């Protein structure tokens, strides 16, 4: 079996091999996971490179169980994720793209009130020498990225709160758009209408209001609070 794409997680002398995408989502983003689906190979190793499996006796001594899934869960939760150079590179690139997108959505030019285009953000990050960290959540890197580009382009993070009212039969696509663009502070599904209070970057408020109107056929009410 080719395990070259698997990610290794090591804990207290034991190793497991896990699916890259699922492991990243669970370990780095805190998403729920099923250990059985997450394991690339349903084995626990002393040395995965050599294929040396841990014995049931050792598992019982160290984890209090002979069950592979129970021990693997503890190894995954407490262990360190060992990435290859190529995996780290791919994750850095992915985190970088997410940070660019996040800045383009949340920040705006204080002179115009408009968002900075992604390419302008990309250029500013490159000029600032900002490098995304493969192992750190993008939310934790956002402020650092903003600080890095502020000497290069003017950045404002002003936000506004708005209240939204949408007929239930029109709310589905609009709700997806709201979640992509804004922070939902409150929401309520009534008998006929969906109500929400959201916080949104000032630079994208007008665009969001126009999108909601289009998605609901003009049957929505959006008011600043």
């Amino acid at each position: 079996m080719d395990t070259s794409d698997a990610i290794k997680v090591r804990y207290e002398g034991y190793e497991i091999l896990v699916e890259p995408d699922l492991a990243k989502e669970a370990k780095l983003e805190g998403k729920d996971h099923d250990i059985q689906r997450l394991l690339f190979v349903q084995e626990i190793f002393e040395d995965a490179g050599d294929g040396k499996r841990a014995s049931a006796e050792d598992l019982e001594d160290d984890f209090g169980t002979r069950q592979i899934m129970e021990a693997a869960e503890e190894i995954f939760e407490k262990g360190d994720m060992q990435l290859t150079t190529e995996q780290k590179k791919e994750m850095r690139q992915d985190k970088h793209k997410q940070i660019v997108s996040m800045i383009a959505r949340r920040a705006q030019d204080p002179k115009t009130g408009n968002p900075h285009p992604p390419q302008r953000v990309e250029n500013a990050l490159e000029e600032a020498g900002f490098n995304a960290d493969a192992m750190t959540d993008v939310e934790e890197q956002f402020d650092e990225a903003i600080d890095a580009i502020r000497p290069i382009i003017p950045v404002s993070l002003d936000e506004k709160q708005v209240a939204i009212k949408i007929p239930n039969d029109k709310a589905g696509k609009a709700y997806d758009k709201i979640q992509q663009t804004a922070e939902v502070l409150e929401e309520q599904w009534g008998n006929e209408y969906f109500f929400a209070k959201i916080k949104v970057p000032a630079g994208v408020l007008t665009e969001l209001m126009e999108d909601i109107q289009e998605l609901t056929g003009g049957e929505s009410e959006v008011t600043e609070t």
Side-chain angles (χ1 to χ4, degrees), residues 53-54 56 104-105 117 120 133 141 152 155 170 189:
R53 293 176 172 83
R105 292 197 318 270
R120 184 184 298 163
D133 188 323
Q141 300 185 67
I152 300 167
V155 177
K170 304 284 187 178
W189 293 86

Side-chain angles (χ1 to χ4, degrees), residues 38-158:
L38 191 145
L39 288 177
F40 196 95
V41 180
Q42 294 189 1
E43 297 284 355
I44 296 175
F45 301 92
E46 292 182 10
D47 189 324
D50 292 340
K52 185 178 181 182
R53 293 176 172 83
S55 69
E57 291 78 12
D58 286 342
L59 294 181
E60 186 168 27
D61 288 343
D62 292 329
F63 299 100
T65 180
R66 288 173 172 250
Q67 299 298 316
I68 288 177
M69 295 305 159
E70 293 179 11
E73 181 70 57
E74 184 171 347
I75 292 169
F76 182 73
E77 292 290 346
K78 298 181 179 179
D80 294 322
M81 199 154 66
Q82 312 289 316
L83 302 174
T84 66
T85 300
E86 186 60 30
Q87 287 167 341
K88 288 179 180 178
K89 179 181 178 182
E90 290 178 0
M91 289 181 65
R92 278 197 301 271
Q93 291 172 342
D94 183 58
K95 291 291 177 68
H96 184 83
K97 290 178 182 177
Q98 291 181 52
I99 291 168
V100 169
S101 176
M102 188 178 292
I103 294 174
R105 292 197 318 270
R106 295 185 182 180
Q108 54 271 335
D109 184 339
K111 297 178 182 178
T112 64
N114 296 322
H116 287 293
Q119 189 58 54
R120 184 184 298 163
V121 175
E122 179 78 55
N123 294 341
L125 287 170
E126 182 178 353
E127 184 176 340
F130 176 84
N131 293 307
D133 188 323
M135 302 298 291
T136 304
D137 185 79
V138 290
E139 287 285 356
E140 297 179 32
Q141 300 185 67
F142 178 76
D143 290 341
E144 181 183 352
I146 289 293
D147 290 341
I149 65 174
R150 272 205 163 108
I152 300 167
I153 57 175
V155 177
S156 169
L157 295 175
D158 291 342

Side-chain angles (χ1 to χ4, degrees), residues 191-209:
N191 293 330
E192 297 181 14
Y193 290 94
F194 165 72
F195 302 90
K197 181 181 290 186
I198 66 172
K199 183 163 61 175
V200 62
V204 300
L205 177 58
T206 299
E207 180 182 350
L208 177 61
M209 293 172 69

Side-chain angles (χ1 to χ4, degrees), residues 9-53:
V9 179
R10 185 170 180 81
Y11 175 70
E12 298 291 334
Y14 294 94
E15 297 177 347
I16 56 175
L17 298 175
V18 294
E19 294 283 353
D21 292 339
L22 294 177
K24 293 169 191 172
E25 290 176 355
K27 195 76 168 171
L28 304 181
E29 300 173 24
K31 293 186 178 180
D32 292 337
H33 65 274
D34 178 345
I35 191 64
Q36 193 162 356
R37 290 185 61 234
L38 191 145
L39 288 177
F40 196 95
V41 180
Q42 294 189 1
E43 297 284 355
I44 296 175
F45 301 92
E46 292 182 10
D47 189 324
D50 292 340
K52 185 178 181 182
R53 293 176 172 83

